[in-house]
Structure formats: structure tokens, C-alpha cells
Amino acid sequence: MSQDSYHLESLEQAVGRTDATIQWARFLGETFGTTGALNCLRYYQDLGWISPLVREQMTSYLRGLSMSEIHNKRYDEPTTLEYPLESLSGTLFGAHAQSLEYISRINDDDLEEHVMVARMAERRVDRRIDGDDADESDGGELVSIIRDEPPVSD
């Protein structure tokens, strides 16, 4: 998969970001083990969460972990997440959601804002699909396509 831009392009050397990077490396190592963590990094790159450079840099961090920091728990153990990803706590995706939180913290990005915008967009689409939105002129054709109905003409 080729990406033009990634959520996290590089690991900056700022103090707060370095701490978050080390915590993320420890989390990956403890949760997935070395091989699993490397597979996760490749997966995150494929998703566009991280760049190839970040994957390479994180691989170096993982190689620097001690044996006591590698694979202390299973990836499918419940992960407790805080807002805005708390709904993923206890799910199999919870560990990956925790990685997304680390990525956002390293990138100094507001994950809460992104989740809020996504939830608002989902609610708006749900309203249109359910027919509760009075103004069908904005996106009405998209709703018609989703419902397999002919588009509404003006």
C-alpha cells in the first residue's frame, strides 16, 4: 500500500515525545512480544498510521528493550482505555487503540477531536439513511445510492 502522507511521519526528539515513544515501545513489547510488535508496526504502516521511517525507528527502540520488557502479557488481555476510545476497552482491538493513543501523543495530535468529528459524521449519515433529515438536497443522492433507490432529481 502506498501512502502520500502518514498520521505519524517521524519520531521527534522533543522530551515529551521521546517519553511517549519509549512507553509505546514497552507497551508493544509487553503486549505482543518482539515478533508480534514488529508485525503490528507493519500493520500500522499499512493502515497509514505510521511512516516507514517511524516503523524503522520503532524497530530500533524494540531491539533496545530488556527481556523483562518483552511479552509480559497476552495481546488479547483486556485493555482499559480512557476517553475518547473507552468503547474499545476489553475488545480485541483495544491494544491497537492503545497504540493509536500513543501515536497521537507522539504526534502531539488531538485524538479526541478526530473521534468527535467521526462520531458526528456517523450520526449525520445515520439520520439521512433513516430519513430523519429534512434537508435531502445536501447529500440526498448519496443516501439514495446507499438505499439502492434512484437519485432524487431537483
Side-chain angles (χ1 to χ4, degrees):
M1 178 175 176
S2 150
Q3 291 279 334
D4 291 337
S5 66
Y6 295 90
H7 184 67
L8 181 59
E9 293 282 343
S10 68
L11 300 175
E12 304 233 355
Q13 296 304 315
V15 174
R17 292 178 183 164
T18 301
D19 289 345
T21 301
I22 292 169
Q23 290 173 5
W24 183 35
R26 286 182 180 147
F27 170 78
L28 289 171
E30 289 175 353
T31 305
F32 299 103
T34 304
T35 302
L38 294 173
N39 288 334
C40 285
L41 291 171
R42 181 168 298 280
Y43 177 61
Y44 301 154
Q45 180 185 334
D46 290 345
L47 290 174
W49 290 4
I50 63 172
S51 70
L53 175 62
V54 171
R55 190 177 110 232
E56 187 178 304
Q57 292 170 323
M58 284 300 295
T59 298
S60 294
Y61 277 97
L62 288 168
R63 287 185 180 141
L65 295 178
S66 69
M67 289 303 290
S68 65
E69 295 173 304
I70 301 293
H71 206 42
N72 292 336
K73 62 181 182 174
R74 291 177 31 162
Y75 74 91
D76 57 353
E77 285 182 2
T79 301
T80 303
L81 300 165
E82 296 179 8
Y83 185 82
L85 300 175
E86 76 281 353
S87 64
L88 297 171
S89 292
T91 68
L92 292 177
F93 188 74
H96 299 297
Q98 180 68 52
S99 277
L100 184 59
E101 283 187 358
Y102 282 115
I103 290 167
S104 292
R105 191 176 336 152
I106 293 165
N107 200 37
D108 198 27
D109 199 10
D110 187 0
L111 185 59
E112 183 177 342
E113 179 183 335
H114 293 292
V115 170
M116 182 180 70
V117 168
R119 287 179 180 164
M120 288 172 43
E122 181 180 351
R123 287 184 188 128
R124 186 173 181 179
V125 168
D126 286 345
R127 276 197 321 262
R128 287 192 174 152
I129 290 173
D130 292 339
D132 293 341
D133 196 356
D135 183 15
E136 289 282 334
S137 63
D138 181 29
E141 183 175 341
L142 175 61
V143 173
S144 297
I145 291 169
I146 292 172
R147 290 183 180 163
D148 289 325
E149 298 174 359
V152 177
S153 58
D154 291 331

